[in-house]
Amino acid sequence: MPASYAYLGPEGTFTEVALRTLPEAATRQLIPYVSVQSALDAVRGGEAEAAFVPIENSVEGGITTTLDELVAGTPLMIYREVLLSITFALLVRPGTKLSDIKTVSAHPAAQPQVRNWLKANLPEAVWESAASNADAARLVQEGRYDAAFAGEFAATRYGLTALETGIHDAENAQTRFVLVGRPARPAAPTGADKTSVVLWQRDDHPGGLRDLLGEFATRGVNLMLLQSRPTGAGIGNYCFCIDAEGHISDRRMAEALMGLKRICREVRFLGSYPRAEVSAADVEVPLPGTSDLEFVAAADWVARCQDGRF
């Protein structure tokens, strides 16, 4: 049996489409799971080599279900990311007209991306959330709901008709997906990488978040995502999910992480991995004083001072 990848199913999700863009997906058994949690638990339990799940979209930001699963439980690591442009189709059973639609369904993350279209075209329709957009299509097939927002490619899989296509409130909307596995050595740096971490403060105090961000800023590390998530320990208790530009093997990133480890109650490393659709040539030159060569030169100077060779 080939190694398997779990993904947010059922068949016909945007997640499956994005997963199949990875070259290695052709050599893996792809197994749909009913939720992000069950897909990640399959990895934790050894049932799958890795899981492929959505983590961020350009309309609403971070996918909280995925972030919360990576924050809690047995640690996992991100190894790859994929960006997929998203447009929706309104899928219905054959013969259904727009005026027949009283209920619509999709994954909760889809609602902000079609809200204006829904208000303009189906203002009286009742929204019902589903575990995924493809699952919404399956429920329409079964007669539970009248219509589903999903990828047009899901219509054939579920015997439905695309009544409307190209639905999106925001132009060029994208969703970011990640390949998640058990912790291991990160892939070698490419020059166009991203590092993800979760931070917990020692205590709540004025300027606490500034102190965390300062560890990145003073070393010229650019942040790409910052989102707070409740810890479950009571109102006002939060951790911070951060994506930063660079690889843990970069001196500026390594020193920023060491600084955070000193001042945080806990730091969870979620991986360093290649950025999607970006090459080393696209990455801006580090700010003066923050290149690896300058970090090495500074460390060498300190060593020479300690030896009396300055």
Side-chain angles (χ1 to χ4, degrees):
M1 291 290 290
S4 64
Y5 281 173
Y7 70 92
L8 176 61
E11 295 178 359
T13 57
F14 286 111
T15 307
E16 182 188 7
V17 171
L19 172 57
R20 291 187 181 278
T21 68
L22 294 178
E24 60 267 36
T27 63
R28 303 299 196 275
Q29 181 183 15
L30 307 184
I31 304 175
Y33 282 76
V34 297
S35 66
V36 168
Q37 180 182 28
S38 61
L40 295 178
D41 282 347
V43 179
R44 290 184 170 115
E47 300 168 25
E49 176 187 354
F52 194 76
V53 293
I55 195 169
E56 179 186 6
N57 71 63
S58 59
V59 177
E60 285 288 285
I63 306 294
T64 56
T65 302
T66 302
L67 292 174
D68 290 347
E69 282 297 316
L70 294 176
V71 165
T74 305
L76 295 170
M77 257 179 64
I78 299 171
Y79 289 93
R80 295 282 297 275
E81 69 172 9
V82 171
L83 298 180
L84 184 70
S85 296
I86 302 292
T87 60
F88 293 91
L90 187 68
L91 304 187
V92 299
R93 292 182 295 278
T96 302
K97 301 186 295 294
L98 202 63
S99 58
D100 298 329
I101 297 174
K102 307 302 179 188
T103 55
V104 297
S105 183
H107 187 276
Q111 189 173 21
Q113 303 181 60
V114 299
R115 185 182 293 126
N116 293 335
W117 188 96
L118 196 59
K119 181 179 179 181
N121 295 275
L122 292 169
E124 303 300 323
V126 176
W127 177 276
E128 300 285 354
S129 292
S132 68
N133 299 316
D135 193 52
R138 180 183 63 81
L139 294 171
V140 170
Q141 180 191 45
E142 294 177 357
R144 291 271 299 275
Y145 305 124
D146 297 325
F149 288 104
E152 185 177 358
F153 47 81
T156 301
R157 172 66 180 79
Y158 293 100
L160 302 177
T161 298
L163 190 60
E164 300 280 348
T165 60
I167 300 172
H168 56 271
D169 288 350
E171 293 287 342
N172 304 315
Q174 289 184 310
T175 295
R176 181 165 72 102
F177 301 85
V178 288
L179 185 69
V180 180
R182 289 178 291 278
R185 181 182 294 274
T190 67
D193 302 288
K194 181 182 293 185
T195 294
S196 299
V197 294
V198 186
L199 310 176
W200 287 262
Q201 294 176 278
R202 291 187 186 276
D203 54 56
D204 186 21
H205 62 274
L209 179 57
R210 179 200 60 196
D211 294 342
L212 302 184
L213 301 184
E215 295 293 333
F216 293 106
T218 57
R219 295 171 177 87
V221 176
N222 184 45
L223 299 189
M224 309 177 76
L225 180 144
L226 170 62
Q227 182 159 334
S228 61
R229 297 299 306 148
T231 64
I235 296 296
N237 286 281
Y238 291 88
C239 60
F240 299 95
C241 301
I242 290 177
D243 288 346
E245 189 175 19
H247 194 279
I248 192 171
S249 66
D250 298 339
R251 291 293 291 264
R252 63 183 181 276
M253 179 66 76
E255 292 206 8
L257 295 179
M258 285 190 286
L260 291 165
K261 185 63 177 176
R262 291 197 311 270
I263 66 174
C264 289
R265 176 171 61 84
E266 183 180 352
V267 177
R268 176 170 284 198
F269 175 65
L270 294 181
S272 290
Y273 47 94
R275 291 171 58 187
E277 302 180 5
V278 176
S279 68
D282 300 320
V283 177
E284 293 185 6
V285 175
L287 295 172
T290 65
S291 70
D292 270 17
L293 288 176
E294 288 163 313
F295 272 102
V296 171
D300 180 64
W301 176 80
V302 170
R304 286 188 285 108
C305 289
Q306 291 171 334
D307 289 343
R309 294 184 291 110
F310 56 91

Coordinates of all heavy atoms in Angstrom, one line a residue, residues 4-7 31 33 35-51 76 182:
S4 N -0.1 7.3 2.7 CA -1.3 8.1 2.5 C -1.3 9.5 3.0 O -0.6 9.8 4.0 CB -2.5 7.3 3.2 OG -2.3 7.3 4.6
Y5 N -2.0 10.4 2.4 CA -2.3 11.7 2.8 C -3.8 11.9 3.2 O -4.6 11.5 2.4 CB -2.0 12.7 1.7 CG -0.5 13.1 1.5 CD1 -0.1 13.9 0.4 CD2 0.5 12.6 2.3 CE1 1.2 14.2 0.2 CE2 1.8 12.9 2.2 CZ 2.2 13.7 1.1 OH 3.5 14.0 0.9
A6 N -4.0 12.4 4.3 CA -5.4 12.7 4.7 C -5.7 14.1 4.2 O -4.8 14.9 4.1 CB -5.6 12.6 6.2
Y7 N -7.0 14.4 3.9 CA -7.4 15.7 3.6 C -8.8 16.0 4.0 O -9.6 15.0 4.2 CB -7.2 16.0 2.1 CG -8.1 15.2 1.1 CD1 -9.3 15.8 0.7 CD2 -7.8 14.0 0.7 CE1 -10.2 15.2 -0.1 CE2 -8.7 13.3 -0.2 CZ -9.9 13.9 -0.6 OH -10.7 13.2 -1.4
I31 N -6.9 10.2 1.2 CA -8.0 9.7 1.9 C -8.8 10.9 2.5 O -8.2 11.7 3.3 CB -7.6 8.8 3.1 CG1 -6.7 7.6 2.5 CG2 -8.8 8.3 3.9 CD1 -6.1 6.7 3.6
Y33 N -11.3 12.9 4.9 CA -11.8 12.9 6.3 C -12.9 13.9 6.4 O -12.9 14.9 5.7 CB -10.6 13.1 7.3 CG -9.8 11.9 7.5 CD1 -8.8 11.5 6.5 CD2 -9.9 11.1 8.6 CE1 -8.1 10.3 6.7 CE2 -9.1 9.9 8.8 CZ -8.2 9.6 7.8 OH -7.4 8.4 8.0
S35 N -13.5 16.1 8.7 CA -13.2 17.4 9.4 C -11.7 17.6 9.4 O -10.9 16.7 9.2 CB -13.7 17.4 10.8 OG -13.0 16.5 11.6
V36 N -11.3 18.9 9.6 CA -9.8 19.2 9.8 C -9.3 18.4 11.0 O -8.2 17.8 11.0 CB -9.7 20.7 10.0 CG1 -8.2 21.0 10.5 CG2 -10.0 21.5 8.7
Q37 N -10.0 18.4 12.1 CA -9.6 17.7 13.3 C -9.3 16.2 13.0 O -8.3 15.7 13.4 CB -10.6 17.8 14.4 CG -10.2 17.1 15.7 CD -11.3 17.2 16.8 OE1 -12.5 17.3 16.5 NE2 -10.8 17.2 18.0
S38 N -10.2 15.5 12.3 CA -10.0 14.1 12.1 C -8.9 13.8 11.1 O -8.2 12.8 11.3 CB -11.3 13.5 11.5 OG -11.7 14.1 10.3
A39 N -8.7 14.8 10.2 CA -7.5 14.6 9.3 C -6.2 14.7 10.0 O -5.3 14.0 9.8 CB -7.6 15.6 8.1
L40 N -6.1 15.7 10.9 CA -4.9 15.9 11.7 C -4.7 14.8 12.7 O -3.6 14.3 13.0 CB -4.9 17.3 12.4 CG -4.9 18.5 11.4 CD1 -5.0 19.8 12.2 CD2 -3.6 18.5 10.6
D41 N -5.8 14.3 13.3 CA -5.7 13.2 14.2 C -5.2 11.9 13.5 O -4.6 11.1 14.2 CB -7.1 12.9 14.9 CG -7.4 13.9 16.0 OD1 -6.4 14.7 16.4 OD2 -8.5 14.0 16.4
A42 N -5.5 11.8 12.2 CA -5.0 10.6 11.5 C -3.5 10.6 11.4 O -2.9 9.6 11.5 CB -5.6 10.6 10.1
V43 N -2.9 11.8 11.3 CA -1.5 12.0 11.4 C -0.9 11.7 12.7 O 0.0 10.9 12.9 CB -1.0 13.4 10.9 CG1 0.5 13.5 10.9 CG2 -1.6 13.6 9.5
R44 N -1.6 12.3 13.8 CA -1.1 12.0 15.1 C -1.2 10.5 15.5 O -0.3 10.0 16.2 CB -1.9 12.9 16.1 CG -1.7 14.4 16.0 CD -2.5 15.1 17.0 NE -2.1 16.5 17.1 CZ -2.9 17.6 16.8 NH1 -4.1 17.3 16.4 NH2 -2.4 18.8 16.9
G45 N -2.2 9.9 15.0 CA -2.4 8.5 15.3 C -1.6 7.5 14.4 O -1.7 6.3 14.6
G46 N -0.9 8.0 13.4 CA -0.1 7.1 12.6 C -0.9 6.5 11.4 O -0.4 5.7 10.7
E47 N -2.1 7.0 11.2 CA -2.9 6.4 10.1 C -2.6 7.0 8.8 O -2.9 6.5 7.7 CB -4.4 6.7 10.4 CG -5.0 6.0 11.7 CD -6.3 6.6 12.0 OE1 -7.0 7.0 11.1 OE2 -6.7 6.6 13.2
A48 N -2.0 8.2 8.8 CA -1.6 8.9 7.6 C -0.2 9.5 7.7 O 0.2 9.9 8.9 CB -2.6 10.0 7.2
E49 N 0.5 9.6 6.7 CA 1.8 10.2 6.7 C 1.7 11.7 6.9 O 2.6 12.3 7.6 CB 2.5 10.0 5.3 CG 3.9 10.6 5.1 CD 4.4 10.5 3.7 OE1 3.8 9.7 2.9 OE2 5.5 11.1 3.4
A50 N 0.7 12.4 6.3 CA 0.5 13.8 6.4 C -0.9 14.1 6.2 O -1.7 13.3 5.7 CB 1.4 14.5 5.4
A51 N -1.3 15.3 6.6 CA -2.7 15.8 6.3 C -2.6 17.1 5.6 O -1.7 18.0 5.8 CB -3.4 16.0 7.6
L76 N 2.5 19.1 15.8 CA 2.7 18.8 14.4 C 3.5 19.9 13.7 O 3.7 20.9 14.2 CB 1.3 18.6 13.7 CG 0.4 17.5 14.2 CD1 -1.0 17.7 13.6 CD2 1.0 16.1 13.8
R182 N 4.2 14.8 11.2 CA 4.8 14.7 12.5 C 6.1 15.5 12.5 O 6.8 15.6 11.5 CB 4.9 13.3 12.9 CG 3.6 12.6 13.2 CD 3.8 11.1 13.5 NE 4.2 10.3 12.4 CZ 3.4 9.8 11.5 NH1 2.1 10.1 11.5 NH2 3.8 9.1 10.5

